[in-house]
Amino acid sequence: MADFRPGGRLTSHEAIALVAEVFEEHRPPPRTSAPDGPLGWSGYDAARARAAERTGAEESVRYGTAVVGGHRCVLLVFEFGFLGGSLGQRAGDRLEAAYELAGRTGVPLVSLVATGGSRMQEGMLALGQLQRVARAAAVLRAARVPHLTVLRDPATGGGWATVGAGADVVLALAGAQVGFAGSRVRPPEADPSAYTAEGQWAAGQVDEVVVPGRLRGTLARWLGALHRDSAGPPEPAPVPERLSAAEPPVSGWDAVRAARDPARPRAEAYLARYFTHRLPLSGDRCGGVDPGISCGVGVRADGRAVAYAAQCGTATTPAGYRTAARVIRLADRLALPLLTLIDTPGAANGAEAERAGAGPAIAEVFAAIAEARVPVTTLVIGEGGSGGALALAAPGRTWVTRDCYFSVIAPELAAAILKRPPEQAPATADQLRLRPQDLVELGVARGIV
């Protein structure tokens, strides 16, 4: 059911002007239909005619080729003033044509979504347009063409659940209503903050909330980062430069203490040095966000784009692993080299983490790294605690810093398992051979930064 609340929202013309320097509208072949649509809904044709006269749009969806921030793309724009931006057969024709045009030309698809759902005047035939969109999106993904979406106000119903949530990068305008349930159909006691752009970002469903004045620049940076000059395989991401003045540790316990030193360089310092600017990818799309992992696409001084997933020194939660897996798979599909930074005492192991699927989430990252067709570069910058750290490591392309360790288990836990007193942890650290130089000698790491 379409949710239509007029007033105070961007028209399709205003949305296009907000982001594009050039827009050339395309139209699919005309569709003939019975009077008042497939259901013979009394007054439907008249309502469509009034909507067209009021908005200047032929349908609830417009599409065409565009230039956004100097970058070519296919622009798909909803007109909410046309029957609440609802989806019917003719809107489905335009959606499918937009995806097909992006795939055929190989330029990114940018969707500006503002919709209340499926058009009830066309019944199940309207709802079936969601399957058309899903098929078109699958073809676009197979072609390795990126899709960026912007959630305007409102982005609800099937349009959010397909064109919106199905995109590679999901941006939302500040204050926009975003949710599967529109305002007229959600439970009256529901928390309204859950249905906002900010609420969806906090729940891991949106990558970034953007104010309108920054939208064109944000889209331009994304389009620039995802543009590729060559169809060949990407070059590996360079290994980050050394940021620490520490000397290689003498003992295993020295390595552990250096990795746990709060003053040593962390992921933020490495990422800030490595990239000129970064574009965040946030959330696991399952309702979770881990502030202890930083993911996104960064652009280096030479213009090269590199996807990254960086642990930030805390125990990584299932949401963090699922976010990392999502970014790894996106980098692989869009042919972006990947950088991973390892710094965690290990995976979160509390009851909440177990209920949230710690094991399957870690397995997902191992699988994503193993399946990646793009080169992955890894640097261990601090603690490398067991499988929770190894999941992000690239086999054969892992380097280590001088103030890190990488171990099958933390020395304190190893001592406890071996029924040794706590004071034996330093000696156990030596036995584990977890120092940077040990890791190079063992073939775990290729070198010390």
Side-chain angles (χ1 to χ4, degrees):
M1 175 179 177
D3 178 31
F4 179 47
R5 298 188 303 156
R9 296 182 171 120
L10 292 173
T11 67
S12 60
H13 301 280
E14 292 167 337
I16 292 168
L18 183 66
V19 302
E21 300 94 80
V22 177
F23 177 67
E24 181 181 348
E25 188 162 4
H26 291 217
R27 292 172 176 83
R31 171 189 287 267
T32 58
S33 61
D36 282 331
L39 305 186
W41 187 289
S42 178
Y44 180 39
D45 283 348
R48 283 178 44 84
R50 289 193 300 271
E53 183 179 2
R54 183 174 59 250
T55 63
E58 299 171 1
E59 245 301 337
S60 61
V61 172
R62 303 171 62 189
Y63 78 100
T65 53
V67 176
V68 174
H71 302 281
R72 294 175 55 242
C73 67
V74 171
L75 190 61
L76 170 63
V77 188
F78 282 71
E79 174 53 72
F80 189 74
F82 194 107
L83 302 181
S86 56
L87 303 184
Q89 290 178 304
R90 292 177 181 176
D93 292 342
R94 291 162 179 261
L95 290 168
E96 189 173 57
Y99 280 84
E100 192 276 333
L101 178 60
R104 185 174 70 250
T105 57
V107 299
L109 174 63
V110 176
S111 301
L112 309 181
V113 178
T115 173
S118 298
R119 192 170 299 171
M120 58 188 172
Q121 294 92 336
E122 296 186 23
M124 282 300 297
L125 294 179
L127 192 65
Q129 303 310 304
L130 306 184
Q131 294 174 320
R132 288 182 73 185
V133 173
R135 286 193 296 271
V139 172
L140 192 68
R141 284 193 295 270
R144 304 178 83 171
V145 175
H147 179 193
L148 292 79
T149 200
V150 179
L151 307 175
R152 294 154 53 207
D153 184 38
T156 60
W160 157 230
T162 51
V163 183
D168 299 312
V169 179
V170 180
L171 309 175
L173 289 182
Q177 178 190 175
V178 179
F180 185 65
S183 61
R184 296 183 184 179
V185 298
R186 68 183 63 139
E189 71 280 2
D191 177 6
S193 67
Y195 302 88
T196 64
E198 291 77 6
Q200 295 286 359
W201 174 79
Q205 318 296 358
V206 167
D207 290 307
E208 186 177 7
V209 176
V210 184
V211 297
R214 292 183 52 238
L215 182 57
R216 182 181 297 194
T218 300
L219 286 173
R221 285 190 291 274
W222 269 111
L223 292 170
L226 299 181
H227 172 75
R228 294 193 64 217
D229 293 320
S230 170
E235 293 294 322
V239 181
E241 299 174 4
R242 173 182 174 182
L243 293 184
S244 173
E247 295 299 322
V250 175
S251 69
W253 193 243
D254 289 337
V256 172
R257 289 191 299 178
R260 294 174 180 172
D261 185 346
R264 68 161 169 80
R266 304 281 168 154
E268 177 58 31
Y270 281 96
L271 295 174
R273 174 72 68 86
Y274 197 78
F275 296 116
T276 58
H277 66 267
R278 286 172 277 161
L279 299 158
L281 291 165
S282 177
D284 66 356
R285 299 300 186 261
C286 297
V289 174
D290 182 354
I293 193 160
S294 178
C295 295
V297 175
V299 178
R300 290 176 52 76
D302 60 2
R304 291 188 61 199
V306 176
Y308 62 90
Q311 292 170 318
C312 301
T314 57
T316 305
T317 68
Y321 290 114
R322 284 191 288 263
T323 303
R326 171 186 160 231
V327 173
I328 294 164
R329 292 197 169 107
L330 179 62
D332 184 59
R333 187 163 55 75
L334 300 183
L336 295 172
L338 178 69
L339 170 72
T340 62
L341 300 180
I342 291 177
D343 184 10
T344 180
N349 58 6
E352 183 178 351
E354 293 298 338
R355 283 192 289 265
I362 296 170
E364 194 175 344
V365 179
F366 272 116
I369 291 286
E371 294 166 357
R373 296 162 293 178
V374 296
V376 183
T377 300
T378 297
L379 180 64
V380 185
I381 63 172
E383 292 195 79
S386 194
L390 185 67
L392 272 72
R397 286 194 56 82
T398 293
W399 281 260
V400 289
T401 63
R402 297 183 177 194
D403 44 8
C404 82
Y405 76 86
F406 210 171
S407 178
V408 64
I409 190 172
E412 298 93 334
L413 298 179
I417 290 173
L418 296 171
K419 299 182 179 180
R420 295 176 179 176
E423 57 268 21
Q424 288 295 308
T428 305
D430 285 333
Q431 288 182 290
L432 289 169
R433 298 198 64 192
L434 46 70
R435 300 176 305 167
Q437 57 267 46
D438 295 326
L439 299 170
V440 173
E441 184 176 341
L442 291 169
V444 174
R446 292 180 62 167
I448 299 173
V449 171

